[in-house]
Amino acid sequence: MKILKLENVSKYYKSAETVSVGMQNVSASFDIGEFVAITGESGSGKSTLLNVISGLDGYEEGELYHYGEETSHYTISDWETYRSSYVGFVFQNYNIIDSYTVYQNVLFALEVQGYPKDKRRKRALELIDRVGLSSHKNHKASKLSGGQKQRAVLARALAKDTPIIVADEPTGNLDSESSKQVMALLHEISKDKLVIVVTHDYAQVEPYATRKIRMHDGTIVEDVELKEFEKQEQPVKLEAKKVSWLTLFKISLRNIFSTPKRTIFMLILQILVIGIFTLIFSSQVKARRELGLMDSETYPQVPETRLLVERRDGEPLSSAEIDKIKSNRNVLTVYENAHLFHNNRNLSINLLNSHHNFYVSKTDSAKILSKGDVKGELPKEINEVVVSSYYNTIKVGDVIGLAFTPIYYYGGNLEHFVEFKVVGLDKLERRTIYFSEAYLTQEIVADIDVNLYNHIRQNLKDSLYCNLEDSVGFELEYDPNATLLYDIQMIKSDESQTYVVENNVNVKFHTYYEHTSTVILEVGSVGKVEGEFYGGLIKKELLDQVLDLSMQNYVSKYKIDKNMISVEVANFRKGDNFIKSIDQTIYKVYYPANISSPLQKFMLFIQGLISGLLLVGMGFFLYAIVHAVSKNIMASRKKDFAIFRSIGTNKSALAKMVVLEQVIMNMIGFVITMIGFYFLQYRFSNIRTLLDYMKFSDYIVLVLIFLFLGVWLGLRFNKKVFNQSVIQVLTLSKEEF
């Protein structure tokens, strides 16, 4: 039985306006061991006949038999199997994978036919040596001469070890010496194969041909047997072997790294798209986590980056307990004096030398900021702060006062209790004031910070006045240079003084500092004047006694439980994790910024819908960008994919390979993007905050999304690849290039 037989086979080419004849009513049969030369003028149909025989192109009429089996019913998959198992190709235009080396071109043919893994390298090198290219085995095909390319293609055809070898004008672009070498090689392999050569120069093939077929106007006009050939035993019917996923994975990696410029360009695009989508995705995760939360009325100044912790038994935390909390993986740092943040007070910023007051939303440590978050510098000294750029009136270098704001405050100037220099502005406009480490770890006096203590004491001293039992109130001053005979010495308005000594007099001392406070003391001696007076002087010893008593009243309003510590975290997620990790039978943990609103569930539902629509819309938009670019890049690879098909890569294997390439590129882009974010978060805390909200499950979701997009892109392109026959793609590629 002949390996191939054609009965009245016709092939037509259709365009938008015309139908032309490729070949018509062709009948012929072919056998193993033949070396067939097909000749004819250009357009005579000889290449069409070769393409139909090889399964590169279909036919419209008649029947092509393969081992007596009809092929008119063959599907694309059937033809792929036929080419993979039975046909090796040598083309005039070489149709070599330019981005591959000679070795990789030959190796690919062995891989797709399922050649044993442990023998592939040895077999490839043997074939390369057989065609005389051992010294060029690692050269890219694009760097070879025409003759070298054709010999490489021959080695690739031999690697398939198929019973049929077809060659379309194999010497058309070669010099005479290279042409002789190629023909000699074809003749050598024809002893146990069917070799069919299409040529316009019959003289080159004449010494080797066992049979000559001449075509004219799409029909065979001459079919002559020139010499006898040794008939070979017919090969058994071959079964196409499946290419393993591991082999396809290796091929996909080779395709990616064999074209570095294209790969780098695609990676940059992938990184941009993945980075943008990841930031949008993580911002939606963050939004869901923060939605429907209310601030605590008890601790209004505590942001989501701080928690307050105390022991349930009221005892102070030991150094060992604090060190253990500091070592918690969710904790940035711990401040032992939590009240330095003024957690339980409404605060305002008073811009000195102006009438501008600003509400402070939160107080925090500057440690939560990175250099990139701040215009200016991060605070280092005890009296330096960063404030929000939301307060656009405040500039770097301004001096501000921090003041307590009454709940029902409607404007006016507030008495500030401590002054700070603004060294930086928070770009994120969080309406927060950030203290330095020096401030938050400073010395403590009477359970408040020493600056605040001294400030209050000075204000009390400046606002001190008194009432004697039988007189109106008058202001008191302390003059360190004055020599006083009495504890209190009153001053007459005309400065002429008459002294009346009174001993052990009860005196009411008053201070106007945010609210009135009265201290009653028995004073040892008072130098009193008769008539009008405007003030008095007080001895230092008595002044200190009055101030000490007054401070006891004032200090209590500026402090909270001294046994409470402040725990600094990066965001809500870290705060939640910290709460879960601490033993709450021993400790009370307050998270003032994490109080759920009664409407939280409804708000989360609405936000979930909006978030889903946003992510889907943005995903399709970014996908459209990648698809548009990938489409052009893939279009430039049509020739390569057609060559893959001609070598024997079936639709399934090629689909897997394309998908794997897209998936690998996506995953490489994803890993590089995540590494980039890892380093960027140390420069930009807003990136760190977004990524800190991401759980492992969120990253899995992202990976699945990008995998889905990679698979989708691959399948869409693969579908287009198989819309055309191999020969159509190769013809179009030849015209384009």
Side-chain angles (χ1 to χ4, degrees), residues 605-620:
F605 173 75
I606 298 299
Q607 196 273 343
L609 292 177
I610 297 173
S611 177
L613 291 173
L614 174 64
L615 289 174
V616 170
M618 185 56 66
F620 276 111

Side-chain angles (χ1 to χ4, degrees), residues 462-473:
D462 293 342
S463 64
L464 185 65
Y465 74 103
C466 70
N467 284 101
L468 300 180
E469 290 180 336
D470 56 352
S471 67
V472 297

Side-chain angles (χ1 to χ4, degrees), residues 23-35:
M23 65 179 189
Q24 191 171 26
N25 298 323
V26 170
S27 296
S29 59
F30 303 92
D31 207 352
I32 298 294
E34 284 190 282
F35 192 113

Side-chain angles (χ1 to χ4, degrees), residues 664-681:
I664 291 169
M665 287 291 289
N666 273 353
M667 291 303 98
I668 293 174
F670 181 77
V671 171
I672 293 175
T673 304
M674 293 303 106
I675 293 173
F677 280 149
Y678 176 80
F679 289 104
L680 285 174
Q681 67 178 337

Side-chain angles (χ1 to χ4, degrees), residues 61-79:
E61 294 177 354
E63 190 64 71
L64 168 64
Y65 295 93
H66 177 232
Y67 285 127
E69 179 185 343
E70 295 179 353
T71 61
S72 56
H73 65 279
Y74 271 18
T75 63
I76 289 177
S77 178
D78 293 328
W79 284 117

Side-chain angles (χ1 to χ4, degrees), residues 127-156:
L127 293 171
I128 292 170
D129 184 61
R130 185 175 177 182
V131 298
L133 288 177
S134 292
S135 60
H136 292 74
K137 64 180 182 293
N138 293 320
H139 290 198
K140 284 284 184 75
S142 58
K143 304 297 182 182
L144 300 177
S145 67
Q148 290 168 337
K149 285 183 179 181
Q150 199 64 288
R151 280 184 280 162
V153 170
L154 267 172
R156 188 179 69 192

Side-chain angles (χ1 to χ4, degrees), residues 273 618-628 709-710 712-713 716:
V273 168
M618 185 56 66
F620 276 111
F621 173 72
L622 295 175
Y623 164 78
I625 295 175
V626 176
H627 178 260
L709 291 177
W712 194 8
L713 279 172
R716 286 195 64 177

Side-chain angles (χ1 to χ4, degrees), residues 146-343:
Q148 290 168 337
K149 285 183 179 181
Q150 199 64 288
R151 280 184 280 162
V153 170
L154 267 172
R156 188 179 69 192
L158 291 173
K160 289 188 67 179
D161 196 23
T162 54
I164 304 171
I165 299 292
V166 297
D168 187 6
E169 300 283 6
T171 61
N173 294 326
L174 304 181
D175 57 52
S176 59
E177 185 59 34
S178 295
S179 297
K180 290 179 181 179
Q181 293 175 358
V182 169
M183 283 299 175
L185 283 168
L186 286 171
H187 176 252
E188 182 183 344
I189 64 178
S190 69
K191 293 180 176 60
D192 58 352
K193 300 180 187 298
L194 166 62
V195 176
I196 303 175
V197 179
V198 166
T199 180
H200 66 281
D201 187 355
Y202 176 69
Q204 289 182 339
V205 73
E206 185 176 11
Y208 311 109
T210 64
R211 177 180 173 187
K212 177 184 178 183
I213 293 176
R214 184 167 63 86
M215 298 192 70
H216 179 72
D217 288 340
T219 62
I220 294 177
V221 296
E222 181 183 5
D223 187 349
V224 181
E225 187 173 316
L226 302 175
K227 62 180 73 170
E228 290 187 5
F229 64 94
E230 185 178 346
K231 293 190 177 182
Q232 303 290 324
E233 183 180 346
Q234 295 288 341
V236 297
K237 190 168 184 180
L238 304 173
E239 296 291 336
K241 295 181 181 180
K242 289 186 177 181
V243 186
S244 69
W245 277 100
L246 180 60
T247 298
L248 289 172
F249 180 78
K250 291 178 180 178
I251 295 172
S252 299
L253 284 177
R254 184 188 308 148
N255 291 340
I256 290 171
F257 292 109
S258 64
T259 53
K261 290 182 180 179
R262 183 174 67 209
T263 297
I264 290 172
F265 175 77
M266 281 301 298
L267 264 182
I268 292 172
L269 178 65
Q270 296 275 12
I271 289 167
L272 288 174
V273 168
I274 291 170
I276 292 170
F277 189 83
T278 299
L279 290 176
I280 295 172
F281 183 87
S282 57
S283 69
Q284 295 305 304
V285 172
K286 177 178 182 291
R288 284 188 63 79
R289 178 59 190 83
E290 296 180 357
L291 191 67
L293 297 180
M294 302 186 304
D295 289 332
S296 167
E297 293 183 2
T298 305
Y299 301 116
Q301 294 299 320
V302 183
E304 74 276 7
T305 51
R306 288 199 299 114
L307 299 90
L308 305 176
V309 180
E310 64 179 354
R311 287 185 60 91
R312 288 190 177 276
D313 59 13
E315 294 297 317
L317 278 74
S318 66
S319 298
E321 288 176 308
I322 292 174
D323 289 341
K324 185 176 180 181
I325 292 175
K326 285 181 179 178
S327 66
N328 188 298
R329 63 192 300 268
N330 300 291
V331 174
L332 295 177
T333 190
V334 173
Y335 297 103
E336 298 182 36
N337 302 309
H339 56 279
L340 293 175
F341 288 100
H342 310 292
N343 303 298

